[in-house]
Amino acid sequence: MADFRAIHRVRCEQILLDDGWARDQVVEITTDGLIAGVGPAGEASVDLVLTGPVIPGLPNLHSHAHQRVLAGLTETRTPGKDNFWGWRDLMYRANSAITPDDLESIARCVFIEMVKQGYTVVAEFHYLHHAPGGDRYAQTDEMSQRLWIAAEDAGITLILLPVLYSYGGFDQQPLSGVQTRFYNTLEDYLLLLDKIQKATVGVGNRGYGLAAHSLRAVSPEQLVALDRVSRLDHPDVPVHIHVAEQLNEVEECIASLGSRPVEWLCQKVNIDPRWCFIHATHVTSQEVESMAQSGVVVGLCPSTEANLGDGLFPATEYLALGGKFGIGSDSQVCSNPARELQLLEYGQRLKHHRRVLMMGADERHNGNALVQRAVAGGSQACGRSVTGLTSGAPADLIELDPESPRLSRRSADEALDSWIFSATDSNVRTVIAMGREVVTEGQHAGEAIAIEQFLNTLKHLTDRSFE
Ligand SMILES: [Zn+2]
């Protein structure tokens, strides 16, 4: 069991508050890991002094921990299948043998990678529910329990999103092969959800939400029912779904349901700020407007979307309409929030042939604007009602390393810009998550053993999956 130092008072020489940077402040933290208040530093003693720029921890709103096994192993040609669907076949092969011990080991390692680089909360879009072949574990939430353990060891807050996955396409084909590990009826799903909800009671660094894998993996009736259950029985938690990631998914949706995916959701389901649309890559101007008006969060995963050749979300247009977004690590090709924000901005620059796009006309620094929006949108998608470094919010703080050659001799805003647009490695010196110091001097106490376990897991999984 991880044993992180509890922090009750931390002095920050430069801290990013909701209304901008403030100097020499003390953040008071409750025993529950929430911010009790932020005010000018006085004579009282503190547990920790942070001299580098302090910003809120970043929420990772979309993760599939188990896909970490495959990161970097799919960069070869597969004749006729060098696209998302070819990658998905490889991902399924790698998934096919993962045991509960494996999942715990993989998740521990990737969650530590995340927290070391500035993510303090992760929403795990979890569909690897059952044993290889589809048999149920004795405890139907066995895999979920392993994710709780891994997150606790990493010190990251876990928002567990059990995923309803019932069909193999819009024609509602039964699941086959590796996909049988994902299968639940809506009734089975709600029993699992109940177990997961119970596991969060009274535990500050745990949360939950609902999720449907995609419009191709659930029936319209199931999705409408899931929406109804969420509003009646779980009104304060988020609801996530993959949507419009692939062009042929959009075409199949039109052929099957008569509408584009986002259009269908906005018409048939009560889309509101509880919802998070993952990817939403292929959308029309009308769909962009509908999403912005509804208050939904779009979950952007720039490194994965680039890696899989998905396409570019019209982020600049969406932002101009006040649309909310957050970032996710998705397939785990990248565990660094700064890299995701950089790639998000660069995609828009390459598309529009202009610079400094993901910010409003009255904002001055691209890094500041990207972080503030990703924290607000990501927190909303994680079901957090209070965000940023303010009273009542989770005490999630990261300190950028002021001694890094990439960040030194810069103002706080310039250091933040440099963290996203110039730095080549983590450059995060301290991480406090829910009031506990989980990263010190860039190091995580559990990392060495987690890597050793992960390498053993990787060895026997790749032996089995790719031989
Ligand atoms: Zn995903």
Side-chain angles (χ1 to χ4, degrees):
M1 177 63 83
D3 185 20
F4 301 109
R5 180 166 76 119
I7 302 293
H8 303 294
R9 291 170 53 82
V10 52
R11 184 169 178 163
C12 305
E13 292 189 3
Q14 316 165 73
I15 183 168
L16 184 59
L17 304 178
D18 290 348
D19 54 356
W21 290 97
R23 286 201 155 273
D24 215 11
Q25 303 284 302
V26 165
V27 180
E28 306 257 5
I29 301 172
T30 69
T31 51
D32 296 333
L34 303 178
I35 295 178
V38 183
E43 297 301 313
S45 64
V46 296
D47 301 310
L48 188 63
V49 176
L50 302 177
T51 58
V54 172
I55 64 173
L58 273 295
N60 178 353
L61 58 62
H62 189 67
S63 159
H64 307 284
H66 65 273
Q67 292 184 13
R68 176 66 182 80
V69 170
L70 205 61
L73 293 180
T74 59
E75 305 305 320
T76 53
R77 284 258 164 93
T78 314
K81 296 190 87 173
D82 287 325
N83 56 25
F84 171 86
W85 307 102
W87 170 84
R88 196 183 70 154
D89 289 346
L90 290 169
M91 190 262 288
Y92 282 169
R93 280 176 60 195
N95 284 350
S96 63
I98 291 175
T99 65
D101 284 347
D102 294 335
L103 181 64
E104 183 182 320
S105 158
I106 298 162
R108 183 183 292 111
C109 187
V110 74
F111 289 163
I112 289 174
E113 288 177 354
M114 289 175 195
V115 81
K116 277 188 71 184
Q117 298 183 87
Y119 286 124
T120 48
V121 50
V122 56
E124 177 69 17
F125 196 93
H126 169 51
Y127 56 79
L128 202 58
H129 300 304
H130 308 303
D135 291 341
R136 270 48 182 164
Y137 291 112
Q139 302 289 329
T140 51
D141 64 340
E142 175 76 40
M143 293 298 235
S144 304
Q145 291 182 28
R146 300 309 188 101
L147 291 167
W148 294 129
I149 292 168
E152 178 58 33
D153 289 348
I156 200 166
T157 296
L158 176 60
I159 310 300
L160 193 47
L161 307 169
V163 174
L164 177 62
Y165 200 135
S166 297
Y167 299 109
F170 283 98
D171 53 0
Q172 297 179 20
Q173 288 289 315
L175 296 179
S176 59
V178 175
Q179 289 183 316
T180 55
R181 300 194 71 177
F182 317 155
Y183 177 72
N184 278 318
T185 63
L186 181 59
E187 292 70 28
D188 290 340
Y189 174 81
L190 293 176
L191 292 173
L192 176 63
L193 182 69
D194 187 54
K195 288 190 174 191
I196 287 171
Q197 180 187 8
K198 286 194 170 84
T200 67
V201 174
V203 188
N205 58 359
R206 292 183 182 181
Y208 77 101
L210 289 77
H213 181 271
S214 56
L215 286 176
R216 62 178 192 273
V218 300
S219 69
E221 296 75 24
Q222 283 181 317
L223 194 58
V224 169
L226 193 73
D227 178 49
R228 189 175 60 247
V229 169
S230 77
R231 280 182 290 112
L232 293 176
D233 299 336
H234 308 273
D236 301 321
V237 306
V239 187
H240 290 220
I241 185 169
H242 287 131
V243 65
E245 182 179 8
Q246 294 294 314
L247 281 171
N248 69 344
E249 172 194 347
V250 174
E251 288 159 10
E252 286 177 13
C253 187
I254 293 169
S256 174
L257 302 177
S259 310
R260 301 173 62 84
V262 168
E263 181 185 24
W264 189 90
L265 284 166
C266 290
Q267 288 171 353
K268 304 290 186 187
V269 182
N270 296 284
I271 298 304
D272 61 20
R274 295 174 312 128
W275 279 80
C276 181
F277 288 179
I278 304 301
H279 306 304
T281 310
H282 301 290
V283 283
T284 62
S285 312
Q286 181 57 50
E287 288 174 309
V288 169
E289 203 175 317
S290 299
M291 289 191 293
Q293 284 175 357
S294 69
V296 68
V297 174
V298 173
L300 299 171
C301 309
S303 64
T304 294
E305 289 154 7
N307 186 276
L308 299 182
D310 288 348
L312 274 179
F313 174 72
T316 308
E317 295 82 347
Y318 178 67
L319 190 66
L321 296 171
K324 298 174 190 170
F325 70 84
I327 51 166
S329 65
D330 196 359
S331 68
Q332 322 299 0
V333 285
C334 173
S335 309
N336 184 332
R339 295 286 76 73
E340 298 295 348
L341 293 172
Q342 181 195 62
L343 200 49
L344 169 59
E345 169 70 26
Y346 281 177
Q348 298 302 303
R349 292 185 189 187
L350 290 164
K351 178 181 175 187
H352 294 286
H353 311 161
R354 288 174 47 217
R355 302 186 69 252
V356 198
L357 288 160
M358 292 296 292
M359 59 189 277
D362 56 345
E363 292 171 302
R364 295 196 59 230
H365 282 270
N366 209 176
N368 188 325
L370 282 164
V371 164
Q372 296 271 27
R373 286 196 173 81
V375 168
S379 298
Q380 179 179 318
C382 288
R384 290 177 156 185
S385 55
V386 187
T387 71
L389 299 178
T390 189
S391 297
D396 285 6
L397 297 76
I398 65 176
E399 180 204 27
L400 304 183
D401 185 354
E403 292 169 17
S404 158
R406 291 275 178 173
L407 307 190
S408 64
R409 299 192 63 78
R410 284 158 164 76
S411 70
D413 262 330
E414 289 167 347
L416 187 46
D417 285 340
S418 300
W419 181 55
I420 294 170
F421 293 105
S422 158
T424 49
D425 51 20
S426 167
N427 286 283
V428 171
R429 187 162 72 174
T430 308
V431 178
I432 297 173
M434 292 297 289
R436 299 184 304 167
E437 184 181 11
V438 295
V439 174
T440 305
E441 296 294 335
Q443 303 298 313
H444 186 290
E447 185 176 25
I449 182 77
I451 289 176
E452 191 182 323
Q453 290 169 341
F454 174 71
L455 292 178
N456 284 331
T457 299
L458 197 60
K459 181 175 185 308
H460 80 81
L461 274 180
T462 49
D463 283 351
R464 278 189 244 157
S465 303
F466 294 98
E467 63 196 359

